[in-house]
Amino acid sequence: MDKFVIRTNISLVQESNESARKVEDDGQKTEQVELSSLIADPGLRISISQYHPNIRDQVRRAYLQKGPCQPNNHNFKKRKIGDSIRRFCPTWQGSGDSFVKEGFDGWNKKDRLDKHVGGTNSAHKRALKKCEDLMRQDQHIDVTFNMHSRQVRKEYRICLGASIDCVRFLLRQGLALRGHDESDKSPNQGNFLELLKFLGVHNIEIDAVVGKNAPSNLKVTSPDIQHDIINASAVETVNNIIHDLGDDLFAILIDESRDISRFQNMKNRRGQL
């Protein structure tokens, strides 16, 4: 390649190598690469195999986005082959390692270029197919997992939000949450479950993630979850009352009851003396 292309300063190689520095990540050494500073010249850049396996696809994608390194304005050296003067033609750019490492001077043998491209299952065609697949990020397995995770989180928030809305409504109205019979065959499963079904009937998004459409281990309707929502509502209510009162004076009303000996007892909201 040296006899066809004038190489840039070798210090660029050192800069390319320094751009990949070692950092500690979860106890394992990985490379953090400044993708914008990668050297485009295939003869100067470091090999993809020298990067950490976890970031090789990122480096490959960065090089592909940069586009091919083609010195179209370079004055290529001429060489006499037989009775003709021949040289490299810029329109032949991109034909393998011959133009990167070893050099190519058989300009009179065009069939070599076609041989390099090969048939449908050639190494060149397979590499091209892998390149196209690499650039389609929406088809990558990690993207699919992330999309699935986002969908699961979205559905969980809708399901949890519906349960919270039902509990808040029943608390505001002073109604009981639980029912006498909450089985699937019960005609009346209690205020909470019946209200949740009512919301599902009038909202397609809620209906898709509650009741029978919800995962058996993620219905967000168990008594423990109802109690957690009630306790969270109580904490928020108390905090809002305290915030509204500030430094003002306030009074507390306490119920009292008289026992058989006519002794008055004060009880809290749990009925404790």
Side-chain angles (χ1 to χ4, degrees):
M1 188 64 181
D2 289 337
K3 54 185 177 181
F4 304 114
V5 179
I6 299 176
R7 294 185 180 275
T8 55
N9 195 328
I10 196 63
S11 62
L12 294 177
V13 181
Q14 299 176 353
E15 295 179 3
S16 178
N17 293 336
E18 292 175 358
S19 65
R21 58 184 183 274
K22 298 287 185 179
V23 296
E24 294 294 331
D25 183 18
D26 296 334
Q28 296 181 350
K29 288 187 176 180
T30 58
E31 291 179 349
Q32 184 174 349
V33 180
E34 187 65 32
L35 299 179
S36 59
S37 64
L38 293 175
I39 303 301
D41 191 338
L44 296 177
R45 67 192 185 195
I46 64 176
S47 175
I48 298 292
S49 60
Q50 296 182 23
Y51 291 96
H52 192 276
N54 292 344
I55 62 172
R56 287 177 186 172
D57 283 348
Q58 299 179 22
V59 176
R60 290 190 182 98
R61 193 177 297 112
Y63 277 127
L64 291 172
Q65 291 174 348
K66 283 178 175 291
C69 177
Q70 299 178 343
N72 295 321
N73 298 326
H74 181 71
N75 185 19
F76 293 96
K77 181 180 178 180
K78 297 180 180 180
R79 178 171 176 266
K80 185 175 181 180
I81 301 178
D83 297 333
S84 303
I85 301 297
R86 300 180 181 274
R87 67 170 182 175
F88 176 80
C89 181
T91 58
W92 298 340
Q93 299 273 13
S95 296
D97 290 343
S98 296
F99 300 130
V100 177
K101 299 177 181 178
E102 303 168 0
F104 182 82
D105 55 6
W107 315 122
N108 59 327
K109 300 178 180 179
K110 299 180 181 180
D111 58 317
R112 291 188 179 180
L113 300 179
D114 295 333
K115 183 179 180 180
H116 167 75
V117 174
T120 305
N121 198 34
S122 66
H124 179 88
K125 293 293 182 62
R126 291 198 303 269
L128 178 61
K129 182 63 170 61
K130 291 179 180 179
C131 171
E132 294 173 349
D133 293 340
L134 179 64
M135 298 305 292
R136 296 193 185 100
Q137 298 187 45
D138 57 335
Q139 298 181 2
H140 293 184
I141 186 65
D142 55 339
V143 176
T144 303
F145 279 142
N146 290 335
M147 292 178 61
H148 178 71
S149 299
R150 287 196 296 268
Q151 181 65 20
V152 171
R153 289 195 296 268
K154 179 181 178 181
E155 293 177 354
Y156 176 75
R157 290 192 181 99
I158 295 175
C159 184
L160 179 60
S163 296
I164 293 175
D165 290 341
C166 291
V167 172
R168 290 177 59 191
F169 175 82
L170 296 174
L171 290 176
R172 180 180 290 273
Q173 299 302 118
L175 300 175
L177 276 71
R178 303 294 303 280
H180 175 69
D181 183 6
E182 295 184 346
S183 63
D184 294 336
K185 297 181 180 180
S186 174
N188 187 350
Q189 294 181 305
N191 293 333
F192 174 75
L193 295 179
E194 292 295 335
L195 181 58
L196 189 61
K197 289 193 294 185
F198 177 82
L199 287 179
V201 171
H202 292 81
N203 190 300
I204 299 177
E205 287 188 347
I206 295 178
D207 182 61
V209 296
V210 300
K212 296 181 179 180
N213 295 326
S216 58
N217 61 342
L218 198 63
K219 291 183 178 295
V220 200
T221 57
S222 68
D224 290 338
I225 292 180
Q226 295 179 36
H227 293 159
D228 289 341
I229 297 175
I230 292 173
N231 292 333
S233 301
V235 171
E236 290 297 323
T237 302
V238 172
N239 290 337
N240 287 333
I241 293 175
I242 295 175
H243 180 268
D244 292 340
L245 287 175
D247 297 330
D248 294 341
L249 299 176
F250 63 93
I252 299 178
L253 297 178
I254 301 177
D255 292 334
E256 64 178 11
S257 63
R258 182 177 298 181
D259 57 18
I260 193 171
S261 62
R262 296 185 179 183
F263 183 79
Q264 293 181 344
N265 299 314
M266 292 184 297
K267 297 183 178 181
N268 59 17
R269 60 187 178 89
R270 295 183 179 179
Q272 298 173 343
L273 296 178

